[in-house]
Amino acid sequence: QKEVEQNSGPLSVPEGAIASLNCTYSDRGSQSFFWYRQYSGKSPELIMFIYSNGDKEDGRFTAQLNKASQYVSLLIRDSQPSDSATYLCAVFNNAGNMLTFGGGTRLMVKP
Amino acid sequence: EAQVTQNPRYLITVTGKKLTVTCSQNMNHEYMSWYRQDPGLGLRQIYYSMNVEVTDKGDVPEGYKVSRKEKRNFPLILESPSPNQTSLYFCASSPTGRNGSPLHFGNGTRLTVT
C-alpha cells in the first residue's frame, strides 16, 4: 500500500462547478499536508498547506483535513479551464523530515 | 528573485557516462532534496539534505550520489547512468525541511539515458 494515495483521474468537471480532489495517507502521525498543482511538463507549485483538522480557505481553494480518517481534500470552487492540471497531495512523515507525494489527480475543466 | 535553479533542463546521454545535474537556491534554505517523476509513479524522493554536510537517502537512492558542501548547492551525480534512470528530475528546497515547511521546486531536468 502506498503511503499517500490519490485517484489518478482524470476528474472532469464543467466550468464553474466545484472540483473535489481527495487524498488518503497511511502515517497516522503525519502533521502537515500540502497541495501542489502541476501543469504538464512544469514543476509543482504550492497551492495550500494545512496542519489542523477542519477547513482552510484561500480564495477559490479550500483544504479539508480529517486526521481521524486520515484523509485530506482540496475543493476548487468556480472551476476554470486554467485549473486543468495534475494536483499532488504531499504529506510530511511523522519524523517531519520527509515529504511524500501521492501519484496525483488529473483535473480537466471543460468550458 | 527567489528561486531554485537546475541545470541543464534537458540532457541526453549514453549508458555509463558519468553526469552531474546542478541545483542551486538563493533563499538561504537549510533543506534541499532531489525527486524523480515517472508516469504512474509520481514524485519519488532520491536524496535529501537537512543542512551543509548532512545528506540522507530517500525512497529511491540507488544509482545516485549527492553532496552538500555549501548551503546553496546540492548537485545530483549519476556515476554510471542506466536507461532506467531516464526520468524527469526536480530539485527542491525549503527553509527547514521540518513539518510545515513547504518545498520550492526548480524547473526540472529531463534526462534520457540511451
Side-chain angles (χ1 to χ4, degrees):
Chain A
Q1 182 184 2
K2 291 180 69 174
E3 295 181 24
V4 181
E5 297 254 23
Q6 295 180 256
N7 188 319
S8 62
L11 172 66
S12 182
V13 300
E15 184 175 357
I18 296 175
S20 178
L21 306 162
N22 299 312
C23 170
T24 58
Y25 60 94
S26 59
D27 186 349
R28 185 169 287 278
S30 297
Q31 297 183 36
S32 54
F33 309 85
F34 302 84
W35 283 99
Y36 285 83
R37 176 175 63 197
Q38 186 177 27
Y39 293 110
S40 181
K42 302 295 186 182
S43 58
E45 54 180 329
L46 181 69
I47 298 176
M48 291 194 69
F49 55 88
I50 186 168
Y51 311 140
S52 304
N53 275 330
D55 295 0
K56 179 181 179 182
E57 187 174 321
D58 183 0
R60 296 187 296 114
F61 299 96
T62 299
Q64 299 175 319
L65 175 61
N66 184 323
K67 289 185 178 181
S69 300
Q70 294 176 239
Y71 83 80
V72 57
S73 61
L74 179 70
L75 301 178
I76 306 174
R77 290 181 299 281
D78 188 23
S79 295
Q80 301 297 308
S82 59
D83 294 326
S84 298
T86 296
Y87 289 80
L88 303 170
C89 171
V91 178
F92 256 111
N93 64 350
N94 192 24
N97 58 3
M98 284 184 64
L99 188 63
T100 300
F101 285 81
T105 298
R106 189 157 70 95
L107 173 67
M108 297 172 58
V109 181
K110 299 194 172 182
Chain B
E1 179 188 353
Q3 60 186 358
V4 178
T5 303
Q6 290 179 235
N7 280 298
R9 291 292 310 277
Y10 301 91
L11 180 58
I12 300 174
T13 190
V14 295
T15 299
K17 186 176 181 180
K18 181 179 178 180
L19 66 91
T20 299
V21 184
T22 63
C23 174
S24 180
Q25 51 90 7
N26 62 0
M27 296 169 279
N28 201 36
H29 285 173
E30 292 184 353
Y31 181 91
M32 298 186 75
S33 180
W34 277 102
Y35 287 86
R36 62 177 288 175
Q37 187 172 36
D38 303 287
L41 297 175
L43 279 161
R44 293 179 294 167
Q45 191 172 43
I46 303 171
Y47 270 94
Y48 66 95
S49 169
M50 299 296 288
N51 214 324
V52 177
E53 302 291 1
V54 179
T55 62
D56 282 293
K57 296 178 179 179
D59 296 318
V60 288
E62 295 78 20
Y64 304 95
K65 287 175 58 177
V66 293
S67 68
R68 188 89 183 273
K69 296 178 181 176
E70 48 191 343
K71 203 170 190 177
R72 64 182 294 125
N73 296 322
F74 191 47
L76 179 69
I77 303 157
L78 284 73
E79 294 271 5
S80 182
S82 62
N84 64 13
Q85 293 178 297
T86 292
S87 187
L88 178 59
Y89 291 85
F90 289 104
C91 180
S93 71
S94 74
T96 66
R98 296 291 180 188
N99 267 312
S101 186
L103 287 175
H104 302 259
F105 284 85
N107 287 330
T109 295
R110 188 169 292 280
L111 171 66
T112 302
V113 183
T114 61

